Amino acid sequence: MVKDDCIFCKIANGGIPASTLYEDDNFRVVLDAGPASKGHALILPKQHYEDVCELDEAVGSKVLGLAAKIGRAMKSGLGCAGFNLVQNNGEAAGQTVYHFHMHIIPRYENGPAMVSWEPGTIDAEDAEKIVQAIKAGL
Ligand code: AMP
Ligand code: ZN
C-alpha cells in the first residue's frame, strides 16, 4: 500500500525527486535532507508501513542486508570509519516521519559525537522484573 499524503511514499516511489544512491523493487535509499554527518542516508521501503511493528516480514528481512551493503559502500566511498544504524519508532523515540525508515549514519574519525547515552545501572531483581514484563508481551 502507498499512502497518498505520505512524503516518504512519494520519495520512495519517485514522485518527489531525492538524492538516490540505491534503488531496487522494494526500496529506495536517499540522502537525508538534514544530515547528522556527511552521507547520512535513509532506507525507504516503497510500500507504506508506519513503523517496524507494521513492517512486512519479507520486506523487513531485507533491511539489514541492504544497510550492510550501503554501510560498506560508505566506508569505501566516503572513507568513514564506521556507521550507525538508527531506526526510531514512535514520537517518544524521536520518530518524526511515520513511514518506516532506517538511518545509516556514517561516522568519521574526529566526527561529531552522537547516538550515545549515559549507561545506567540495573540489579538482578530489576532485570528479572523487566524480563518478565517484556516476555508477557511476546
Ligand atoms: P525520524 O526522526 O527517525 O522520523 O527521521 C526522519 C528523518 O527524515 C530526519 O532525519 C529528516 O532529516 C529526514 N527527512 C525529512 N524530510 C525529508 C525529505 N523530504 N527528504 C529527505 N529526508 C527527509
Ligand atoms: Zn509512506
Side-chain angles (χ1 to χ4, degrees), residues 2-11 16 48 97-99:
V2 171
K3 200 164 171 244
D4 286 344
D5 61 350
C6 172
I7 187 161
F8 280 3
C9 278
K10 290 195 177 93
I11 291 173
I16 295 179
H48 183 84
V97 181
Y98 293 89
H99 173 123

Side-chain angles (χ1 to χ4, degrees), residues 7-8 11 30-34 40 42 88 94-97 101 103:
I7 187 161
F8 280 3
I11 291 173
V30 303
L31 291 183
D32 194 293
H40 180 169
L42 301 171
N88 300 325
Q95 187 176 10
T96 58
V97 181
H101 51 281
H103 298 257

Side-chain angles (χ1 to χ4, degrees), residues 53-131:
C53 300
E54 282 200 354
L55 188 60
D56 175 81
E57 272 193 40
V59 174
S61 71
K62 299 181 196 313
V63 172
L64 271 187
L66 178 53
K69 183 185 178 82
I70 303 295
R72 278 192 293 267
M74 287 170 165
K75 287 172 78 172
S76 64
L78 295 176
C80 59
F83 58 93
N84 291 111
L85 301 180
V86 177
Q87 201 278 304
N88 300 325
N89 298 282
E91 190 178 355
Q95 187 176 10
T96 58
V97 181
Y98 293 89
H99 173 123
F100 173 91
H101 51 281
M102 174 79 80
H103 298 257
I104 311 166
I105 306 175
R107 300 297 298 271
Y108 299 89
E109 301 290 358
N110 308 314
M114 65 182 98
V115 198
S116 62
W117 55 86
E118 287 296 321
T121 57
I122 187 168
D123 62 25
E125 194 182 331
D126 282 345
E128 181 56 22
K129 282 186 196 150
I130 292 164
V131 165

